[in-house]
Structure formats: structure tokens, C-alpha cells
């Protein structure tokens, strides 16, 4: 069995196990040591990923259940990098939590679930990845057992996730029923004679199941509640990392389906417009920054689905998908990093005068929000440009126009936070959490600038990249 193709995932499993064992035998005051251990694990996994990317070639492995291609490598690195920033946000926030050490083990296992979804070339592996990401996600959302808001967020996350998981598994069973296989390669060859109503039902149910991890309609309702109620570092992670795995996993599965028989492209386009519109309109009325970020995350899922609509019809689809995932991950983590550093300040009014009291935190917030809007020279601008180009190239100009209109709307709710932050009087004092969270927010913001300036060569390198199987 070619184990070398999945060494990054094995490294994450071993790292999570070591972190959990260390947490069992370490005093509460020293539980923070698991944060560096988690970072070492993520760095090792990233190193193995780069080695496989340089020395390997695109293929399916492990009995064709696992796709090793440029999209898998890019998704792995984005997941590992985003998880590393989420780790850095946590030590000071969880300092007094008696289960501080275990948090990093759960975080690594959740990242592993996202990696499994991104590389899945078999519906069983897709289900395994989604269940791993979901179960660990429920734990992270409700990690503060003494907080009613955290427990409520975890419960809502669990209930919506339970229904979505049932939909996904039912869809997978129906797909197996009409193809007789769980592997994508063999399923693609068996679809020609498949019953169209059953196939359409299966694809719709699987899309609903993955929409849960994406935070897209119709399984999006958990996103604002988790953003508001979960521990802020966990909210930063949960609104980013599972979305990466689910978006790549959905793209890989839909790409094997015969479009005339299933008609999945218009379905995804409609979901994309509904998701970005609902997310943006709901965010307009929020007076809570964390809840605003939750609805913003919903709207961003709609933009991400645009890349899937273009897959197979435009060579720009894969670069658009990858640049969007990187830009979104960095921007959302930077924004949540500011929230964490400000000790979870959540009311918009709490940000009035922030530029005078904490100018560098206000600057990070500006970079994050403007990148989410798509203002140059930030990474979000490159991502939006790639998405619009790919969508128009694929013949879905109406979808690009809807996305542009939504982008204009989104500017208003981000300015509701940024305007008073720069124009209002500074409050007496704005206490911050500590060094780690500040570093995490700063790294994410610097990443937005760097990716925005260097995205061109990377994007050109991904043009025409294969999406296996």
C-alpha cells in the first residue's frame, strides 16, 4: 500500500495522539505546551505535503479512494496553515480552561477531517472526513461547558449537522445503488445507464450534506450561532477549515457527474446566489461583530460555489477555487484574531475609536474586511477577480453580475464597523488578551498582503491543473 501518499495525514494523526497523551500527564499550568506541539505537527505535515507535491505526480491511490493532485496539495497546505493560525489564537484564551491541553488534539483531528474531504475520491472516505470534522466541530463549539452561549452554539451545530449528515449518507447510499460502487472512477463509468430521478435525488442530498460544512443554504443556520457563541478561537477555526475540505470535496464529486443527465451546474449556481445574498442581507442588520462575521462567512460560501459552477467549463476554475480558499481563510482568521485579541469584544459599539486606542488592531481589521470585499492589492481582490473571470468564461455571466452586486452590499456592513473605529473618540482603555493572539492576527493580515502581491505566478501555475479522478 503506497503509504507515502498519505504521510501528511498520518503525521496529523500521530501529532493529535501525542498531544492528547501529553495533556493527560501535564499539570494544568503547563497545558500550553501542547500549542507548540500542535504547531510542530502542522509544520511536519506541511513539509511532507510539499515533498509529495514536488516528487510525485497526479494520481489516485489507496485503491483509487484518494486523489493526490495539485488541488489536494493546495487544500492540504491551506488547511494546515489556517489550523496553525487557529492554534496561535488559543493559548491565552483557554489559559484557565481545565481541558486546555486536549483542545489542540481535537483541533488537529478536525483539520484531519477537512483533509480527508479534500482528497476523497470515494464516497466512503468523503463520509468519513465529514463525520470526523462534524463530531470534533461539535466539541469545539461547546468547549466552554460553563457558558450557556457556547453550549447553545454546540447544540444548534449538532442538530443541523445531524440532519445534514443523514442527507449526505442517504445520498451516498442512493448513488451506490445506481452505480454499484463507492469509488468516483468506477462510478463515473457506471452513470450512463443510471436512473435519472434517483441520480438527481442522490446528488441533491449529497450537496445538502456538504452544504452543512460549507455553511451554505439550506444548512447554513449554525454559522452565525457558532460564530457568536463558541469560544472565539474555535469559531475562527470552524468558520474556515471545514469549509475548505467541503468545497474541494464537493467540486471533486460533482466533476465526475454527467451534466446533461444530472444538471448539477444550475443547481449549484442557484445555491451560490441564494447563499451570498442571504448572508449579505442578514449581515446588514447585525449589531454584534461576531454574528456579523458569521453571516459574512455564509455569504463567502456563495462566492466559493462560483468556482464549482465553472469547473470543467473554464481553465480559470481551479485557480479561482484555490485563491478564494486562501484569501477567505486568511481574512476570516485575521478578523477573528482581532476579536480574540480584544478579549471577545462583540458589540459593534465596542469597536468605536479602536484606531486611536489600538491602531495596529484597527489596521488588521481594515485589511481583513477590505480583502473580504475584494479591494486591491489584497488577496481577496485576486480571488474575486479569478471567480468572476472563471464564471463568465463558463457562460454564467448572470452569476458574476449577482456576485458583483452582493459585493457592493457587503461593503456597507463592513463600513459600519470600520467607520466608527476611525472616526469616534477613543475609549479610556482597550485591554487586550496577550501576545499570541496578536501575532496570529498579524500573520494572517500579512498573509493577505503577501498573497495579494504574489498570487499571479501561483494562479498561472494552477491554470489547467487536473482535478482527479
Amino acid at each position: 500500500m503506497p503509504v507515502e501518499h498519505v504521510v501528511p495525514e498520518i503525521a496529523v494523526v500521530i501529532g493529535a495522539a501525542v498531544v492528547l497523551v501529553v495533556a493527560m500527564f501535564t499539570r494544568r499550568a503547563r497545558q500550553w505546551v501542547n500549542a507548540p506541539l500542535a504547531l510542530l505537527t502542522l509544520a511536519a505535515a506541511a513539509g511532507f505535503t510539499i515533498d509529495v507535491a514536488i516528487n510525485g505526480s497526479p494520481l489516485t491511490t489507496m485503491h483509487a479512494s484518494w486523489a493526490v493532485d495539485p488541488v489536494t496539495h493546495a487544500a492540504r497546505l491551506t488547511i494546515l496553515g489556517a489550523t496553525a493560525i487557529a492554534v496561535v489564537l488559543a493559548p491565552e484564551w483557554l489559559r484557565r480552561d481545565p481541558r486546555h491541553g486536549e483542545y489542540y488534539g481535537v483541533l488537529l483531528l478536525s483539520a484531519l477531517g477537512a483533509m480527508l474531504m479534500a482528497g476523497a475520491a470515494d464516497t466512503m472516505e468523503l463520509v468519513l472526513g465529514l463525520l470526523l470534522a462534524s463530531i470534533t466541530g461539535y466539541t469545539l463549539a461547546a468547549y466552554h461547558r460553563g457558558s450557556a452561549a457556547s453550549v447553545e452554539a454546540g447544540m444548534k451545530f449538532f442538530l443541523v449537522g445531524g440532519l445534514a449528515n443523514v442527507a449526505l449518507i442517504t445520498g451516498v447510499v442512493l448513488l451506490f445503488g445506481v452505480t454499484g460502487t463507492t469509488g468516483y472512477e468506477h462510478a463515473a463509468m457506471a452513470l450512463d445507464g443510471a436512473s435519472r430521478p434517483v441520480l438527481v435525488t442522490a446528488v441533491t442530498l449529497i450537496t445538502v450534506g456538504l452544504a452543512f460544512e460549507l455553511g451554505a443554504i439550506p444548512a447554513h443556520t449554525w454559522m452565525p450561532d457558532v460564530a457568536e457563541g463558541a469560544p472565539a478561537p474555535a469559531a475562527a477555526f470552524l468558520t474556515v477549515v471545514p469549509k475548505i475540505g467541503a468545497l474541494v470535496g464537493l467540486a471533486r464529486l460533482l466533476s465526475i457527474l454527467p451534466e446533461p443527465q444530472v444538471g448539477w451546474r444550475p443547481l449549484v449556481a442557484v445555491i451560490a446566489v441564494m447563499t451570498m445574498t442571504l448572508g449579505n442581507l442578514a449581515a446588514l442588520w447585525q449589531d454584534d461583530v461576531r454574528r456579523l462575521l458569521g453571516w459574512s462567512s455564509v455569504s463567502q460560501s456563495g462566492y466559493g460555489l462560483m468556482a464549482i459552477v465553472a469547473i470543467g467549463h473554464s481553465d480559470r476554475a481551479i485557480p479561482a477555487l484555490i485563491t478564494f480558499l486562501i484569501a477567505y481563510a486568511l481574512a476570516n482568521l485575521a478578523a477573528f484574531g482581532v476579536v480574540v485579541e480584544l478579549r471577545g469584544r462583540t458589540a459593534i459599539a465596542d469597536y468605536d475609536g479602536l484606531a486611536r486606542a489600538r491602531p495596529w488592531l484597527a489596521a488588521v481589521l481594515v485589511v481583513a474586511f477590505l480583502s473580504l470585499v475584494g479591494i486591491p492589492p489584497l488577496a481577496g481582490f485576486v480571488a474575486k477577480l479569478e471567480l468572476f473571470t472563471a464564471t463568465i468564461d463558463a457562460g454564467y455571466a448572470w452569476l458574476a453580475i449577482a456576485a458583483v452586486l452582493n459585493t457592493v452590499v457587503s461593503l456597507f456592513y463592513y463600513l459600519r464597523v470600520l467607520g466608527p473605529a476611525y472616526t469616534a473618540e477613543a475609549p479610556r482603555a482597550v485591554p487586550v488578551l496577550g501576545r499570541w493572539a496578536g501575532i496570529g492576527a498579524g500573520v494572517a493580515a500579512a498573509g493577505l498582503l503577501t498573497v495579494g502581491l504574489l498570487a499571479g505566478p501561483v494562479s498561472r501555475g494552477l491554470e489547467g491543473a487536473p482535478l482527479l479522478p
Side-chain angles (χ1 to χ4, degrees):
M1 188 171 289
V3 177
E4 66 271 16
H5 297 141
V6 292
V7 169
E9 284 74 18
I10 294 173
V12 174
V13 171
I14 294 173
V18 170
V19 165
L20 292 174
V21 171
V22 171
M24 290 172 59
F25 297 100
T26 305
R27 289 184 301 168
R28 184 183 300 182
R30 295 187 177 275
Q31 293 277 313
W32 62 268
V33 299
N34 275 337
L37 280 177
L39 290 175
L40 284 174
T41 298
L42 295 166
F48 290 131
T49 299
I50 293 170
D51 179 62
V52 173
I54 293 175
N55 298 315
S57 56
L59 52 80
T60 54
T61 184
M62 313 291 283
H63 300 290
S65 65
W66 182 259
V68 183
D69 58 16
V71 179
T72 301
H73 302 321
R76 278 171 167 168
L77 291 174
T78 309
I79 290 167
L80 294 169
T83 305
I85 294 175
V87 167
V88 173
L89 297 181
E92 288 146 339
W93 186 280
L94 295 168
R95 186 165 41 206
R96 293 187 177 85
D97 193 299
R99 297 171 299 135
H100 181 181
E102 289 93 334
Y103 175 84
Y104 303 102
V106 179
L107 205 66
L108 289 175
L109 292 174
S110 192
L112 177 66
M115 293 169 74
L116 291 176
M117 282 192 284
D122 185 291
T123 50
M124 288 295 97
E125 187 184 330
L126 183 67
V127 170
L128 178 65
L130 185 135
L131 291 179
L132 182 56
S134 298
I135 293 168
T136 50
Y138 308 147
T139 307
L140 292 171
Y143 211 75
H144 286 335
R145 287 183 293 184
S147 165
S150 179
V151 173
E152 182 183 349
M155 183 58 69
K156 288 181 178 177
F157 195 18
F158 171 75
L159 292 174
V160 178
L163 293 173
N165 291 343
V166 168
L168 175 74
I169 293 171
T170 305
V172 166
V173 170
L174 289 176
L175 188 62
F176 176 79
V178 295
T179 62
T181 180
T182 57
Y184 292 179
E185 283 183 354
H186 298 296
M189 293 184 284
L191 285 171
D192 286 340
S195 166
R196 188 170 186 272
V198 176
L199 190 54
V200 170
T201 304
V203 171
T204 303
L205 290 173
I206 292 173
T207 303
V208 169
L210 288 171
F212 164 68
E213 292 294 353
L214 274 173
I217 284 178
H220 63 285
T221 52
W222 64 271
M223 187 73 86
D225 293 318
V226 168
E228 180 185 15
F237 176 86
L238 292 172
T239 55
V240 169
V241 173
K243 193 192 298 273
I244 299 170
L247 203 56
V248 175
L250 183 61
R252 201 182 295 283
L253 176 60
L254 292 180
S255 67
I256 69 166
L257 300 176
E259 191 178 347
Q261 194 174 354
V262 182
W264 59 267
R265 214 175 294 270
L267 171 68
V268 176
V270 170
I271 293 176
V273 171
M274 293 175 66
T275 300
M276 67 177 76
T277 304
L278 175 65
N280 283 325
L281 292 179
L284 283 173
W285 312 108
Q286 302 304 319
D287 292 322
D288 182 296
V289 170
R290 292 177 61 174
R291 201 165 180 83
L292 183 150
L293 287 172
W295 281 112
S296 165
S297 298
V298 172
S299 72
Q300 294 293 324
S301 299
Y303 296 114
L305 288 171
M306 293 172 65
I308 296 181
V309 172
I311 280 178
H313 283 194
S314 171
D315 287 341
R316 307 303 307 164
I318 297 299
L321 177 65
I322 299 303
T323 52
F324 166 78
L325 290 174
I326 296 171
Y328 167 72
L330 289 171
N332 221 49
L333 288 165
F336 266 106
V338 173
V339 173
V340 174
E341 180 67 352
L342 293 175
R343 296 172 175 262
R345 282 172 175 248
T346 189
I348 285 182
D350 290 341
Y351 289 73
D352 290 358
L354 179 65
R356 299 183 184 182
R358 299 285 178 183
W360 74 270
L361 282 179
V364 169
L365 206 58
V366 168
V367 170
F369 282 177
L370 293 187
S371 184
L372 287 170
V373 174
I375 303 296
L378 302 169
F381 167 73
V382 181
K384 290 279 179 74
L385 187 62
E386 292 280 4
L387 287 172
F388 297 158
T389 304
T391 310
I392 294 171
D393 195 28
Y396 280 81
W398 64 269
L399 179 56
I401 293 171
V404 170
L405 294 174
N406 268 281
T407 298
V408 174
V409 172
S410 70
L411 187 60
F412 288 98
Y413 59 78
Y414 292 130
L415 288 178
R416 284 187 62 210
V417 182
L418 296 181
Y422 277 85
T423 58
E425 290 295 324
R428 289 183 180 177
V430 178
V432 294
L433 191 61
R435 194 178 305 166
W436 285 67
I439 291 173
V443 167
L448 287 170
L449 287 165
T450 305
V451 172
L453 296 173
L454 303 178
V458 177
S459 179
R460 284 192 292 275
L462 286 168
E463 189 171 342
L467 181 65
L468 298 176

